[in-house]
Amino acid sequence: MTIKPEISWTDFEKIDIRSGTIISVNDFEKARNPSYQLEIDFGELGIKKSSAQITSLYKKEELIGKQILAVVNFPKKQIANFFSECLVLGVYGENKSEVTLLTTSLPTTNGSQVG
């Protein structure tokens, strides 16, 4: 296991992690690796799109309404013909094709900040 270099508290404060609720899920057929296209409601921050390689552990229908955590202050990233606007957070399994989403243990207001 590789440990990344230590960062400062100021570095951490630059990362904007928020709770959001998945409101739509579609297959991302043009992605290089099996992925879904997600639309996530972040409350006052609005609805953001993300591409997520979570197809091995999650079915589309079970993702609708799931509250997740995501980094919302990355610049847009183009993946094939899709623009990802946030990075959904998850934990890699034995191989990187199995990703377990980070979720809240209790319901929170969409857009609530992680601190």
Short mmCIF file of all heavy atoms in Angstrom, two decimals, residues 40-65:
data_model
loop_
_atom_site.label_atom_id
_atom_site.label_comp_id
_atom_site.label_asym_id
_atom_site.label_seq_id
_atom_site.Cartn_x
_atom_site.Cartn_y
_atom_site.Cartn_z
N ILE A 40 -26.99 14.20 -9.71
CA ILE A 40 -27.01 14.25 -8.26
C ILE A 40 -27.52 15.62 -7.81
O ILE A 40 -27.03 16.65 -8.27
CB ILE A 40 -25.60 14.00 -7.69
CG1 ILE A 40 -25.06 12.67 -8.24
CG2 ILE A 40 -25.62 14.00 -6.17
CD1 ILE A 40 -23.56 12.53 -8.12
N ASP A 41 -28.50 15.60 -6.91
CA ASP A 41 -29.07 16.84 -6.37
C ASP A 41 -28.26 17.27 -5.15
O ASP A 41 -28.22 16.57 -4.14
CB ASP A 41 -30.53 16.58 -5.98
CG ASP A 41 -31.24 17.80 -5.43
OD1 ASP A 41 -30.59 18.87 -5.27
OD2 ASP A 41 -32.44 17.70 -5.15
N PHE A 42 -27.62 18.44 -5.26
CA PHE A 42 -26.84 19.00 -4.17
C PHE A 42 -27.54 20.20 -3.54
O PHE A 42 -26.90 21.14 -3.06
CB PHE A 42 -25.43 19.39 -4.65
CG PHE A 42 -24.55 18.22 -4.94
CD1 PHE A 42 -24.33 17.81 -6.24
CD2 PHE A 42 -23.94 17.51 -3.90
CE1 PHE A 42 -23.51 16.72 -6.52
CE2 PHE A 42 -23.13 16.42 -4.17
CZ PHE A 42 -22.92 16.02 -5.48
N GLY A 43 -28.85 20.20 -3.54
CA GLY A 43 -29.62 21.28 -2.90
C GLY A 43 -29.34 22.62 -3.54
O GLY A 43 -29.49 22.77 -4.75
N GLU A 44 -28.92 23.60 -2.73
CA GLU A 44 -28.69 24.96 -3.23
C GLU A 44 -27.58 25.03 -4.28
O GLU A 44 -27.53 25.98 -5.05
CB GLU A 44 -28.38 25.91 -2.07
CG GLU A 44 -29.57 26.15 -1.16
CD GLU A 44 -29.28 27.16 -0.05
OE1 GLU A 44 -28.20 27.78 -0.07
OE2 GLU A 44 -30.15 27.32 0.82
N LEU A 45 -26.70 24.03 -4.32
CA LEU A 45 -25.63 24.00 -5.33
C LEU A 45 -26.17 23.53 -6.69
O LEU A 45 -25.46 23.62 -7.69
CB LEU A 45 -24.49 23.07 -4.91
CG LEU A 45 -23.69 23.48 -3.69
CD1 LEU A 45 -22.66 22.40 -3.36
CD2 LEU A 45 -22.99 24.81 -3.93
N GLY A 46 -27.37 22.99 -6.71
CA GLY A 46 -27.99 22.54 -7.95
C GLY A 46 -27.73 21.07 -8.23
O GLY A 46 -27.23 20.32 -7.40
N ILE A 47 -28.07 20.68 -9.45
CA ILE A 47 -27.90 19.30 -9.89
C ILE A 47 -26.61 19.22 -10.69
O ILE A 47 -26.37 20.03 -11.58
CB ILE A 47 -29.11 18.85 -10.73
CG1 ILE A 47 -30.35 18.83 -9.83
CG2 ILE A 47 -28.87 17.49 -11.37
CD1 ILE A 47 -31.65 18.64 -10.56
N LYS A 48 -25.78 18.25 -10.33
CA LYS A 48 -24.51 18.05 -11.02
C LYS A 48 -24.46 16.64 -11.58
O LYS A 48 -25.06 15.72 -11.05
CB LYS A 48 -23.33 18.28 -10.06
CG LYS A 48 -23.21 19.72 -9.60
CD LYS A 48 -21.97 19.92 -8.74
CE LYS A 48 -21.80 21.36 -8.32
NZ LYS A 48 -21.28 22.21 -9.37
N LYS A 49 -23.69 16.50 -12.67
CA LYS A 49 -23.53 15.21 -13.33
C LYS A 49 -22.18 14.61 -12.96
O LYS A 49 -21.22 15.33 -12.72
CB LYS A 49 -23.61 15.38 -14.85
CG LYS A 49 -24.96 15.88 -15.31
CD LYS A 49 -24.97 16.09 -16.81
CE LYS A 49 -26.31 16.65 -17.25
NZ LYS A 49 -26.34 16.87 -18.69
N SER A 50 -22.14 13.28 -12.94
CA SER A 50 -20.89 12.59 -12.67
C SER A 50 -20.89 11.25 -13.39
O SER A 50 -21.94 10.63 -13.56
CB SER A 50 -20.71 12.37 -11.17
OG SER A 50 -19.44 11.81 -10.90
N SER A 51 -19.71 10.81 -13.79
CA SER A 51 -19.52 9.47 -14.32
C SER A 51 -18.91 8.64 -13.19
O SER A 51 -17.98 9.09 -12.53
CB SER A 51 -18.56 9.52 -15.51
OG SER A 51 -18.18 8.22 -15.88
N ALA A 52 -19.47 7.45 -12.96
CA ALA A 52 -18.99 6.63 -11.84
C ALA A 52 -18.84 5.18 -12.27
O ALA A 52 -19.76 4.59 -12.83
CB ALA A 52 -19.95 6.74 -10.67
N GLN A 53 -17.68 4.62 -11.99
CA GLN A 53 -17.39 3.21 -12.30
C GLN A 53 -17.84 2.34 -11.13
O GLN A 53 -17.03 1.78 -10.40
CB GLN A 53 -15.91 3.02 -12.60
CG GLN A 53 -15.46 3.76 -13.83
CD GLN A 53 -13.96 3.60 -14.08
OE1 GLN A 53 -13.31 2.72 -13.54
NE2 GLN A 53 -13.42 4.48 -14.90
N ILE A 54 -19.15 2.22 -10.98
CA ILE A 54 -19.72 1.50 -9.84
C ILE A 54 -20.68 0.40 -10.28
O ILE A 54 -21.49 -0.09 -9.50
CB ILE A 54 -20.43 2.48 -8.88
CG1 ILE A 54 -21.49 3.30 -9.61
CG2 ILE A 54 -19.42 3.38 -8.18
CD1 ILE A 54 -22.33 4.19 -8.73
N THR A 55 -20.55 -0.02 -11.54
CA THR A 55 -21.51 -0.98 -12.11
C THR A 55 -21.38 -2.39 -11.54
O THR A 55 -22.34 -3.15 -11.59
CB THR A 55 -21.36 -1.04 -13.64
OG1 THR A 55 -20.02 -1.44 -13.96
CG2 THR A 55 -21.67 0.30 -14.28
N SER A 56 -20.22 -2.75 -11.01
CA SER A 56 -20.06 -4.13 -10.54
C SER A 56 -20.77 -4.37 -9.20
O SER A 56 -21.14 -5.51 -8.91
CB SER A 56 -18.58 -4.51 -10.44
OG SER A 56 -17.93 -3.73 -9.48
N LEU A 57 -20.98 -3.34 -8.40
CA LEU A 57 -21.63 -3.53 -7.10
C LEU A 57 -23.03 -2.94 -7.00
O LEU A 57 -23.75 -3.26 -6.05
CB LEU A 57 -20.76 -2.91 -5.99
CG LEU A 57 -19.39 -3.54 -5.76
CD1 LEU A 57 -18.66 -2.83 -4.62
CD2 LEU A 57 -19.50 -5.03 -5.46
N TYR A 58 -23.43 -2.08 -7.95
CA TYR A 58 -24.71 -1.39 -7.84
C TYR A 58 -25.52 -1.53 -9.12
O TYR A 58 -25.00 -1.36 -10.21
CB TYR A 58 -24.50 0.10 -7.56
CG TYR A 58 -23.78 0.37 -6.26
CD1 TYR A 58 -22.40 0.56 -6.23
CD2 TYR A 58 -24.48 0.43 -5.06
CE1 TYR A 58 -21.73 0.79 -5.03
CE2 TYR A 58 -23.81 0.67 -3.86
CZ TYR A 58 -22.44 0.85 -3.86
OH TYR A 58 -21.78 1.09 -2.68
N LYS A 59 -26.81 -1.80 -8.95
CA LYS A 59 -27.76 -1.78 -10.06
C LYS A 59 -28.34 -0.36 -10.14
O LYS A 59 -28.46 0.32 -9.12
CB LYS A 59 -28.88 -2.79 -9.82
CG LYS A 59 -28.42 -4.23 -9.89
CD LYS A 59 -29.60 -5.15 -9.66
CE LYS A 59 -29.31 -6.60 -9.90
NZ LYS A 59 -28.15 -7.19 -9.34
N LYS A 60 -28.69 0.05 -11.35
CA LYS A 60 -29.19 1.41 -11.55
C LYS A 60 -30.35 1.74 -10.62
O LYS A 60 -30.36 2.80 -9.98
CB LYS A 60 -29.61 1.62 -13.00
CG LYS A 60 -28.47 1.67 -13.98
CD LYS A 60 -28.92 2.02 -15.37
CE LYS A 60 -29.73 0.89 -15.98
NZ LYS A 60 -30.02 1.10 -17.40
N GLU A 61 -31.33 0.83 -10.53
CA GLU A 61 -32.54 1.12 -9.76
C GLU A 61 -32.27 1.27 -8.26
O GLU A 61 -32.99 1.99 -7.57
CB GLU A 61 -33.62 0.07 -10.02
CG GLU A 61 -33.20 -1.36 -9.78
CD GLU A 61 -32.51 -2.04 -10.95
OE1 GLU A 61 -32.27 -1.41 -12.00
OE2 GLU A 61 -32.21 -3.24 -10.81
N GLU A 62 -31.23 0.63 -7.73
CA GLU A 62 -30.96 0.77 -6.30
C GLU A 62 -30.19 2.05 -5.97
O GLU A 62 -30.09 2.43 -4.80
CB GLU A 62 -30.23 -0.46 -5.76
CG GLU A 62 -28.81 -0.61 -6.23
CD GLU A 62 -28.16 -1.89 -5.72
OE1 GLU A 62 -28.25 -2.20 -4.52
OE2 GLU A 62 -27.55 -2.58 -6.54
N LEU A 63 -29.69 2.74 -6.99
CA LEU A 63 -28.95 3.99 -6.76
C LEU A 63 -29.87 5.20 -6.63
O LEU A 63 -29.52 6.18 -5.97
CB LEU A 63 -27.94 4.21 -7.88
CG LEU A 63 -26.74 3.27 -7.87
CD1 LEU A 63 -25.96 3.38 -9.17
CD2 LEU A 63 -25.85 3.53 -6.67
N ILE A 64 -31.05 5.14 -7.26
CA ILE A 64 -31.98 6.26 -7.20
C ILE A 64 -32.38 6.51 -5.75
O ILE A 64 -32.79 5.61 -5.04
CB ILE A 64 -33.24 6.00 -8.06
CG1 ILE A 64 -32.87 5.72 -9.51
CG2 ILE A 64 -34.24 7.16 -7.94
CD1 ILE A 64 -32.25 6.87 -10.24
N GLY A 65 -32.20 7.75 -5.29
CA GLY A 65 -32.54 8.12 -3.92
C GLY A 65 -31.42 7.90 -2.91
O GLY A 65 -31.55 8.29 -1.76
#
